[in-house]
Amino acid sequence: MESIIQRLDIRRQLIALTFPIFIETLLIMLAGFVDVFMLSRVSDSAVAAVGLANQVLMLVYMVFMIGVMGVTVVCSQYIGAKDEHGFVKTISAAVAYNIFVGIVTGIFFTFFTPELIVFLDTRAELVDNATVYFEIAGGFSILVCMNMTYSGIMRSCNLARYPMYVSVVANILNIFGNYVLIFGKFGFPELGVQGAAISTVFSRVVACSLLFYAIKRQKVRDSIFRNMFPFPMDKLRKIMKIGLPGAGEMFSYSLSQTVIVYLVNKLGTEALAARTYLVNIITFIFLFSLSLGQASAIIVGQLAGRKRKDAALKLGSFSLKIAVSVSVALSFCLALAGGRVMPLLTDNANIIALCLTILWIDVVLEVGRAVNILGGRMLSAVGNPEFAFVVGVIVMWGVATLGAYVFGLYLGYGLVGMWICFAADECLRAVFIWRHWASQKWAKKSLIHAD
């Protein structure tokens, strides 16, 4: 009876943590969707330019995820082990790492965007808009870095409601800023893509300030910056142990998607705009899996810190089944509703028809994606991120990227052929991830026992 009660308590904790993460992630994704929706009133080329820029920026943000994923997992295990000193030192190491990385990336986009535009072989009609978005949003990318870090820390402490509140404020500011600066309201100039970038940066400044205040007030009373000296290199190594392979898989995925965007660009502006619309819509489907995956990873990490790996296995398997069920249901509903959704975004009949076909293919893709999101996060949480990294690199490049070229360009099946390859990639990786989790080989791993 006691074990049943404990299991129910853990599941209630999972639900309580998932909800604010879901709302926060929804609002973050909604901000990107609002940018696309408002820019679609300017032109399809503006949407395509921002889509191209954001794909590259997402690749850069994967470098930030090394510190974010690492600090979330390591802090979760220290909380489970009730080690306050290790917890604070881990935060200090993560903040120092991400400040450095954020400054370097900001300098890169400020001074080397023209070279990047040439390297991407950007279509002529997209160059001006892509350049201005890179320079503004990319130049201030340190804000993304710090927001991700602070949010991860709060979540690991079971305080996910605070990042959720901050996201509400940031989203409202972003929507209002877009309206004013994109379309030139209240006496401001009509800036288009430049206005969207400025609004995004301003909302991120506010979010960063509020998250730092929340951490200091609610959890870390000691100075984060003072605990950087002497620098806690042992904590940084733990962060890297989790973050490098965990974020490495995400980096490989984003790099693969960047190559795919390059290939889609060869199909024409309509195909690139269609992909941008699809990515922004479909993101809302796997939003639940992302939220549940983050919540599950935090609780699984805490259970691992308390040496309760049997409980971690049961919770993980429960979460995987829920994520798959919800993802399939949502993707099927979106495919049915596609005829009503797409005309809200564009009046281009070719883009609409292309998107409607791909939405049905995506129903299959989301099955695999849900398993990969949940499984990868939880394997990282128990100290075994290497498996998902190796499988991810091999399959996503061998099936998704190579397949996109062969079926999309060489054989001439276009974006539809590419999406079929994406679905095959996700589902094949899911088979390996699910089997590895069920095998419990990860149970031999450990992370904080050496402290």
Side-chain angles (χ1 to χ4, degrees):
M1 177 65 70
E2 182 179 357
S3 62
I4 295 176
I5 294 175
Q6 289 176 344
R7 187 183 307 173
L8 291 175
D9 287 341
I10 291 172
R11 290 184 179 182
R12 280 194 291 267
Q13 184 184 356
L14 174 67
I15 294 171
L17 189 57
T18 299
F19 177 74
I21 292 177
F22 176 83
I23 298 299
E24 179 197 355
T25 310
L26 173 63
L27 291 171
I28 292 172
M29 291 181 175
L30 185 60
F33 181 80
V34 167
D35 286 350
V36 170
F37 180 79
M38 290 186 170
L39 288 172
S40 70
R41 298 307 183 248
V42 178
S43 68
D44 285 332
S45 64
V47 172
V50 172
L52 176 67
N54 275 330
Q55 184 60 58
V56 178
L57 289 172
M58 285 301 298
L59 179 64
V60 175
Y61 297 162
M62 291 307 102
V63 180
F64 303 161
M65 286 302 296
I66 296 174
V68 175
M69 293 183 70
V71 72
T72 303
V73 170
V74 179
C75 283
S76 295
Q77 292 208 11
Y78 275 123
I79 289 172
K82 302 186 184 304
D83 185 342
E84 181 71 21
H85 177 73
F87 170 75
V88 175
K89 284 290 187 180
T90 299
I91 291 175
S92 297
V95 169
Y97 166 81
N98 276 338
I99 287 176
F100 172 76
V101 174
I103 291 174
V104 170
T105 54
I107 291 173
F108 172 80
F109 283 110
T110 300
F111 295 103
F112 297 100
T113 287
E115 289 79 4
L116 178 62
I117 292 291
V118 172
F119 175 76
L120 293 173
D121 193 20
T122 307
R123 300 174 69 84
E125 66 267 28
L126 308 182
V127 168
D128 290 342
N129 282 332
T131 299
V132 72
Y133 198 85
F134 271 131
E135 289 178 343
I136 297 174
F140 289 91
S141 55
I142 188 173
L143 296 170
V144 178
C145 185
M146 300 315 300
N147 286 340
M148 291 166 63
T149 303
Y150 295 149
S151 182
I153 293 168
M154 297 295 283
R155 291 172 178 178
S156 71
C157 303
N158 295 331
L159 295 173
R161 64 186 182 278
Y162 290 99
M164 178 186 70
Y165 298 150
V166 170
S167 292
V168 171
V169 174
N171 236 44
I172 293 172
L173 290 175
N174 185 57
I175 293 171
F176 180 75
N178 278 349
Y179 176 72
V180 171
L181 297 178
I182 291 177
F183 304 114
K185 303 297 182 180
F186 304 113
F188 285 86
E190 185 177 337
L191 299 177
V193 169
Q194 183 182 19
I198 293 172
S199 176
T200 297
V201 168
F202 177 73
S203 66
R204 287 171 179 171
V205 169
V206 174
C208 188
S209 302
L210 292 175
L211 283 171
F212 182 76
Y213 175 78
I215 288 176
K216 292 297 296 178
R217 184 174 179 84
Q218 296 297 327
K219 190 63 182 178
V220 184
R221 300 300 176 87
D222 199 1
S223 171
I224 293 174
F225 299 99
R226 186 170 60 246
N227 274 282
M228 294 179 185
F229 307 99
F231 188 77
M233 185 58 69
D234 60 323
K235 302 302 183 290
L236 183 60
R237 282 194 291 268
K238 294 181 187 299
I239 292 172
M240 294 295 107
K241 174 180 171 58
I242 296 298
L244 281 172
E249 181 198 0
M250 299 176 69
F251 181 86
S252 176
Y253 176 81
S254 291
L255 182 59
S256 169
Q257 290 297 306
T258 302
V259 174
I260 287 169
V261 168
Y262 174 83
L263 298 176
V264 173
N265 189 42
K266 299 296 183 182
L267 297 174
T269 299
E270 284 187 345
L272 188 58
R275 181 194 175 276
T276 302
Y277 288 128
L278 285 165
V279 167
N280 279 275
I281 295 171
I282 290 169
T283 296
F284 290 98
I285 296 175
F286 61 87
L287 168 62
F288 179 79
S289 295
L290 284 172
S291 306
L292 183 62
Q294 292 176 54
S296 299
I298 290 168
I299 297 176
V300 164
Q302 292 174 359
L303 291 170
R306 296 199 294 266
K307 310 303 180 185
R308 296 185 57 194
K309 295 192 175 181
D310 286 342
L313 172 66
K314 293 176 181 177
L315 178 67
S317 299
F318 170 77
S319 299
L320 284 169
K321 293 173 184 176
I322 296 297
V324 170
S325 300
V326 172
S327 295
V328 171
L330 291 177
S331 59
F332 186 78
C333 290
L334 179 59
L336 286 175
R340 295 181 179 273
V341 173
M342 291 310 306
L344 298 175
L345 300 176
T346 179
D347 57 3
N348 186 309
N350 293 330
I351 293 177
I352 292 173
L354 185 58
C355 290
L356 292 181
T357 300
I358 290 174
L359 285 175
W360 284 107
I361 299 171
D362 194 70
V363 174
V364 178
L365 185 151
E366 298 306 326
V367 176
R369 175 144 50 196
V371 176
N372 294 328
I373 291 173
L374 267 290
R377 293 295 180 96
M378 292 186 301
L379 286 173
S380 293
V382 294
N384 184 208
E386 302 88 354
F387 183 84
F389 170 68
V390 173
V391 170
V393 170
I394 294 173
V395 179
M396 72 178 59
W397 285 93
V399 177
T401 312
L402 180 60
Y405 170 76
V406 173
F407 286 88
L409 292 180
Y410 185 74
L411 296 179
Y413 290 106
L415 195 61
V416 172
M418 290 181 176
W419 226 272
I420 292 173
C421 295
F422 304 159
D425 158 51
E426 293 283 358
C427 291
L428 183 57
R429 281 190 286 133
V431 171
F432 289 110
I433 295 292
W434 186 289
R435 292 185 63 181
H436 185 72
W437 177 261
S439 72
Q440 301 187 55
K441 293 180 181 179
W442 47 266
K444 300 177 183 178
K445 302 289 182 177
S446 187
L447 185 63
I448 64 172
H449 68 284
D451 282 5

